[in-house]
Amino acid sequence: MSATVPPVEQAQATVKRRWPIGVELQPGGAHARVWVPKAARVDLVTEPDGRATALAGEGNGYFSGLVPGLEAGGLYRFRLDGKDTLYPDPMSRFQPEGPHGPSQLVDPHRFAWTDRDWRGRAIRGQVIYEMHIGTFTREGTWEAAIRQLPALADLGVTVLEVMPVSEFPGRFGWGYDGVNLFAPTRLYGDSDAMRRFVDEAHRLDLAVILDVVYNHFGPDGNYLKCFSDDYFTDRYENEWGEAINFDGPDAGPVREFFLSNAAFWIEEYHLDGLRLDATQSIHDGSERRGEPHILTEISCTVRKAAGGRATILVGENEPQHASMVRSAEEGGCGLCAIWNDDLHHSAMVALTGRTEAYYTDYRGTPQEFVSAMKYGFLYQGQWYRWQGKRRGMPAFDVPRAAFVTFLQNHDQIANSARGLRLHALTSPGRLRAMTALMLLGPGTPMLFQGQEFASDSPFLYFADHVPELAALVEKGRAEFLAQFPSVAAPAMRSRLPEPHAEETFTRCKLDHREREAKPGIWSLHRDLLRLRREDRVFAAPRVGGLDGAVLGEEAFVLRFFGEGGDGDHPGDRLLLVNLGRDLPLPALPEPLLAPRPDADGGGAWTVLWSSEEPVYGGCGTAPVEQPDGTWRLPGHAALVLGPATGVREKSDGAGGNTTPVIAVSDGTEP
């Protein structure tokens, strides 16, 4: 190994850096800056030649200096206090050999972006698609994923939510055990491959947000404690690992690290926002000192980094704290949207009949769906038996678009033990009807990869770890699923897939040929999203423009109020959902079913869309309104009704009430 080069004494003022930490290209080499309060001496060692450059201490735990000759593509690590062990850069932009190998210097400016006119997307009006790059295609790469993007754009998706991609150990995994937060994993391609994915998505008018994990680090390959113990704290409990120190001694550089990461993805990868994992485990008591919560600072940082582009910040928050989506001025964190687990749980009970574990406090009744559509969360402070405490907080004033609604996501599919998709757990008619509710409802709908064509691929929990850790992960996964009595039973527990088995991972890969083999379910999603996008009532929901009512044991109606019923106004829409048997309604004492009168004083409804259309695999739709004025709702179906045209009133023959009838083309009455 060659001799160590003395510290560079050049004034820091002559160095132009973008980020407060990391290694950045400079004329003739690079400049390094790293926070290492545990060390008295820090060297940057290039590989494979072993040349070491000593960094100068700044007196505040930071070390920095110029590294002559280190160019883009060069490999390096840090040596602390002259010891033999070498460590990757905490802000490494790429780890070509995985988290235990050397870091690679990346030139973030060499990629030729073509999205100069892209202005981003705000949350309202969006349709999110959650995807895992490693299983989205057989190849499991960014390049292969790019080839499928036109189909998603045609489907009606507008935002791609990519599961975590920060470098993690092993050959496969979900990504939530990442350890190099600034380095997209080598498993899916190099850093420019990810940029090409984002650039092509923007060309197709698709926004891209990234799922990031700011509540813990993975258990293998995390070297941050070698640089400073203050990255972590034992003041808070965290079910996923050591809690991050956002508010204790020396928390300043830790906050700087995560705020830099949030801005980094927006600037260097042109991402359109972030999805923040398990925000309930991001503990920060800074507000008690009159300082902003770290999530509030992340929100501000992302928007500033976007430089005028619209951004989307989505939070996962199991206790459903509505404060996540309130502004800082209102005491909130400033996120744009939050996952609505309540609605998912109620839908699962209605579709499958199962009420185990965290489904215990849901009944899947029509009233739950009406309330969820009107108010977002079902639990807004009531007692929650499953957890033995109150759940949620008031959210009546939260815009409906701030609630992300879904029937499937990565967690919930995997929590079925066998990783079964929802179409394998319920009847086709019920699933089509519930899909209509989710895609036409006022929340922001989210699909999980393959849902749009009822993929037969399961989605299981998979994580490739070293043997000792793999055994612990397998045991922990089984214990988690044991909250479901049916899974805890010996017959099922013995059949749980091994998370570390390669077969568990490969079984989850999508086969996009199924899209052509199952055109009905694909057409269902595409037509519903077109209706959501193009129908003037669904596309432009009014504040306070939604109401609903229970019509039967498993049936309900939602009324979407338009701006009128004549001229250029679209009138109202009814969404009728019946998850039970055919429902006759001999009497209609429900004002939400009443049509608006037209210019001639009449009024009636007509079916605009039906989940039972044969093209979707349905069995056809009979008229809802019968000749005698009574209604009949088809079972396991959803219908969209709109104002009928050419309606006039017909006397009942006794000088009493009149019945609206629809005139046919020859002028006769039906």
Side-chain angles (χ1 to χ4, degrees), residues 174 344 348 352 354 356-359 409-422 424-425 457-462 474 476-499 503-505 507-508:
W174 275 15
H344 168 270
M348 288 294 290
T352 70
R354 307 297 288 268
E356 296 180 300
Y358 50 76
Y359 298 118
N409 65 36
H410 68 276
D411 275 326
Q412 301 302 342
I413 298 175
N415 288 352
S416 69
R418 294 165 62 194
L420 296 177
R421 305 298 188 110
L422 190 50
L425 302 174
S457 301
F459 196 77
L460 303 159
Y461 180 73
F462 48 82
E474 182 178 7
R477 181 65 181 171
E479 291 174 348
F480 171 78
L481 292 177
Q483 66 182 296
F484 297 91
S486 58
V487 180
M492 189 68 245
R493 182 159 181 165
S494 65
R495 289 172 170 79
L496 291 179
E498 297 177 332
E503 181 192 16
T504 302
F505 166 60
R507 285 176 58 200
C508 299

Side-chain angles (χ1 to χ4, degrees), residues 82-303:
K83 298 178 181 179
D84 292 337
T85 304
L86 300 178
Y87 301 101
D89 183 359
M91 195 190 165
S92 169
R93 283 184 171 92
F94 197 65
Q95 293 289 123
E97 300 173 23
H100 299 292
S103 301
Q104 185 174 60
L105 183 57
V106 171
D107 180 359
H109 305 297
R110 71 181 182 184
F111 184 78
W113 291 95
T114 65
D115 63 350
R116 181 176 302 175
D117 296 329
W118 175 253
R119 304 311 303 160
R121 287 188 179 277
I123 188 63
R124 182 170 177 175
Q126 306 313 316
V127 177
I128 301 174
Y129 186 92
E130 187 185 24
M131 61 196 307
H132 176 267
I133 297 300
T135 55
F136 180 61
T137 63
R138 292 295 182 187
E139 300 89 339
T141 64
W142 294 110
E143 294 298 338
I146 287 174
R147 295 193 288 271
Q148 301 301 329
L149 295 187
L152 295 182
D154 176 64
L155 180 69
V157 168
T158 62
V159 178
L160 307 175
E161 181 179 300
V162 180
M163 287 173 63
V165 301
S166 295
E167 186 62 85
F168 56 89
R171 299 163 297 160
F172 51 81
W174 275 15
Y176 293 95
D177 51 1
V179 291
N180 301 105
L181 296 196
F182 295 81
T185 178
R186 73 213 181 279
L187 298 174
Y188 308 150
D190 62 19
S191 56
D192 279 353
M194 181 175 175
R195 291 184 174 92
R196 282 191 291 274
F197 175 88
V198 177
D199 197 48
E200 179 63 12
H202 288 171
R203 189 185 71 80
L204 294 169
D205 211 24
L206 296 167
V208 184
I209 65 175
L210 179 65
D211 196 340
V212 293
V213 183
Y214 291 165
N215 55 73
H216 78 288
F217 284 87
D220 183 17
N222 172 23
Y223 293 101
L224 288 179
K225 271 197 170 182
C226 301
F227 292 79
S228 174
D229 292 324
D230 291 322
Y231 276 104
F232 305 96
T233 179
D234 59 4
R235 296 188 308 280
Y236 303 105
E237 292 185 2
N238 188 332
E239 60 182 317
W240 309 113
E242 288 185 282
I244 308 298
N245 173 32
F246 288 117
D247 60 0
D250 281 327
V254 181
R255 295 173 75 94
E256 175 186 77
F257 179 90
F258 284 90
L259 292 174
S260 294
N261 185 257
F264 165 85
W265 292 115
I266 307 303
E267 289 194 22
E268 294 202 0
Y269 286 86
H270 289 204
L271 292 176
D272 301 291
L274 305 173
R275 182 267 189 184
L276 298 157
D277 177 65
T279 56
Q280 72 275 5
S281 296
I282 299 177
H283 302 287
D284 183 10
S286 298
E287 292 170 303
R288 293 192 292 269
R289 302 191 299 266
E291 300 171 1
H293 192 283
I294 186 63
L295 288 173
T296 305
E297 285 205 288
I298 288 172
S299 298
C300 295
T301 297
V302 165
R303 293 183 174 100

